Amino acid sequence: MLLRLPQTLNARLGGGPPAASASHANPLLDWSVRAFAAGTKAYLLLSNTRSLYSVVLVEVAGETRTQLAERVAGAVEGILDGAGRLAGVGRDLAAESVRFAKALDRSVTGSMNELVAYAELLLADGDLSVPEVGVRLNDLLLSAAAGEGKKYGTPRAAFAALVAGSCS
């Protein structure tokens, strides 16, 4: 699995400068992370790099790269299991197989910034749990999640198309 971290988060986790890396051969195993705060709490936005399908995790103070890799692998495992695509990727989800890299491009970074802004609003209200915020994020219209011939799309639809494409 490929986990893309911004330099600030990577440094906070005790890693050296993240290396550039092309997309993972299996787009279901290429994920980007962005740290953010809402109120007095710290969170992590975990997004599939290709589809921007996202979950929000509570940030753990003092967490290492290995611990983050274990948590992210567990979250991705749950997502892929729910999508029926866990078979065949189990060994690539082991925490020790996680490779770290820097952000892919500005399109992903900009879209993740939009997702973070929306997540901050949803978390500030206090009406939704952290998992519910992730569910709402996946219904946000984004140009980077647009399907072929469309201007905008949702991360949920883009991820469904990605899963369907990986089945063939």
Side-chain angles (χ1 to χ4, degrees):
M1 183 168 77
L2 187 60
L3 191 56
R4 300 177 181 280
L5 303 176
Q7 289 180 359
T8 53
L9 178 59
N10 189 51
R12 200 168 48 210
L13 294 170
S21 180
S23 297
H24 193 286
N26 181 346
L28 295 174
L29 297 176
D30 193 329
W31 293 79
S32 297
V33 179
R34 168 101 159 40
F36 70 99
T40 59
K41 294 185 180 177
Y43 301 93
L44 297 172
L45 176 67
L46 173 64
S47 300
N48 176 267
T49 304
R50 174 88 60 88
S51 68
L52 297 170
Y53 187 86
S54 301
V55 295
V56 177
L57 306 170
V58 175
E59 186 172 0
V60 176
E63 188 170 49
T64 65
R65 284 168 52 126
T66 302
Q67 291 166 328
L68 177 66
E70 289 171 359
R71 276 201 317 140
V72 166
V76 171
E77 182 178 348
I79 292 166
L80 295 179
D81 188 33
R85 294 300 303 148
L86 190 56
V89 298
R91 63 178 163 68
D92 293 326
L93 281 176
E96 58 271 3
S97 71
V98 172
R99 293 180 295 127
F100 293 91
K102 66 181 185 178
L104 184 63
D105 60 35
R106 289 183 183 178
S107 173
V108 174
T109 302
S111 295
M112 287 185 74
N113 287 340
E114 285 184 54
L115 290 167
V116 163
Y118 190 48
E120 289 171 340
L121 290 173
L122 293 173
L123 290 164
D125 288 344
D127 295 338
L128 299 174
S129 68
V130 174
E132 289 171 328
V133 170
V135 170
R136 291 274 182 97
L137 292 178
N138 292 318
D139 291 325
L140 188 65
L141 286 173
L142 298 169
S143 60
E148 210 171 298
K150 296 181 181 177
K151 284 188 170 187
Y152 297 96
T154 65
R156 183 178 318 285
F159 188 71
L162 193 62
V163 167
S166 72
C167 293
S168 40

